[in-house]
Amino acid sequence: MKITCISASNTRAKGDKSTSIRVCNLIKEIVLKEPQCPVTVDVIPLMDYEVKPCILCGACFKEGHCVQDEEFNRILEALVEAQGIFLVVPHYSPIPAKLIMVFEKINEILYARWINDQAYQSPFLNKPVGIIGHGGMVENEKSLQYYHDRLITPVADTMRSLSFKVIGLDEGFLNGAAFGLKDDSC
């Protein structure tokens, strides 16, 4: 089984100390601790990729990848090959810019392929994705609900529109999990 964990942070100055990357590495550690079957976990830090915005050239419909952006194609390939995905998203903007560019390109590829063949199905159809949102507010019921509603839910809605199956945390957090700071000293 192959799992891909994407850190959507673009806080390059923090590097591996980025909270999103640390969470991806923790997920990897947990998954690999006692695997029930052979499993690999790839961590993709978007900060390491120079993804370019979509220019709507339409050339992606033929090959199913972006003819303008090899960095994006590496991410796309990892997502297609994965049997499960974790998406760790920080809240320092509504949705981090590189994640938006990845969503935009995936959407254009799927749409262009469908326009040219209405029998086309997304390679992400029902592929499970777990979304984890976090930010700089002290963790309490109100901040967790804020992250769920304002960060995780728009990301989850986008993932569903791309045919992914979003896995929620529980009945209160149907679109994913969130966490904040332990206290004001963090």
Side-chain angles (χ1 to χ4, degrees):
M1 171 180 259
K2 182 174 181 177
I3 295 173
T4 296
C5 188
I6 294 181
S7 162
S9 174
N10 200 32
T11 55
R12 188 169 283 168
K14 288 192 171 192
D16 287 344
K17 290 183 175 37
S18 156
T19 301
S20 295
I21 291 176
R22 290 173 42 216
V23 170
C24 282
N25 287 331
L26 181 60
I27 289 168
K28 182 176 183 175
E29 181 183 315
I30 291 168
V31 169
L32 296 178
K33 195 171 197 170
E34 294 184 40
Q36 303 300 316
C37 60
V39 64
T40 61
V41 180
D42 294 330
V43 174
I44 297 178
L46 290 185
M47 72 175 72
D48 292 346
Y49 290 77
E50 295 302 321
V51 179
K52 301 172 191 165
C54 182
I55 60 171
L56 298 170
C57 68
C60 58
F61 83 90
K62 290 180 184 175
E63 300 298 323
H65 65 269
C66 182
V67 300
Q68 309 286 338
D69 191 348
E70 283 308 311
E71 295 277 297
F72 164 78
N73 291 334
R74 289 178 30 220
I75 297 165
L76 179 65
E77 182 179 337
L79 293 174
V80 169
E81 291 177 358
Q83 281 80 45
I85 297 165
F86 285 97
L87 187 53
V88 182
V89 186
H91 188 273
Y92 55 77
S93 70
I95 298 177
K98 286 188 180 182
L99 184 58
I100 291 283
M101 287 190 282
V102 168
F103 287 164
E104 180 181 45
K105 285 188 172 196
I106 291 172
N107 186 68
E108 288 306 313
I109 290 168
L110 297 178
Y111 181 69
R113 300 211 65 199
W114 178 79
I115 283 292
N116 288 286
D117 175 9
Q118 270 119 45
Y120 173 76
Q121 282 194 327
S122 169
F124 308 119
L125 186 62
N126 293 319
K127 189 172 287 198
V129 60
I131 302 167
I132 301 170
H134 65 90
M137 293 188 287
V138 173
E139 185 174 309
N140 56 45
E141 187 177 323
K142 187 176 178 180
S143 64
L144 293 179
Q145 195 65 54
Y146 177 86
Y147 292 143
H148 184 267
D149 296 347
R150 303 281 187 328
L151 175 64
I152 296 170
T153 297
V155 170
D157 289 345
T158 301
M159 297 302 281
R160 284 187 187 98
S161 77
L162 301 173
S163 301
F164 287 92
K165 180 182 179 182
V166 174
I167 308 299
L169 176 64
D170 58 29
E171 289 182 17
F173 297 95
L174 296 173
N175 294 315
F179 68 93
L181 299 178
K182 180 179 176 183
D183 56 44
D184 286 327
S185 68
C186 294

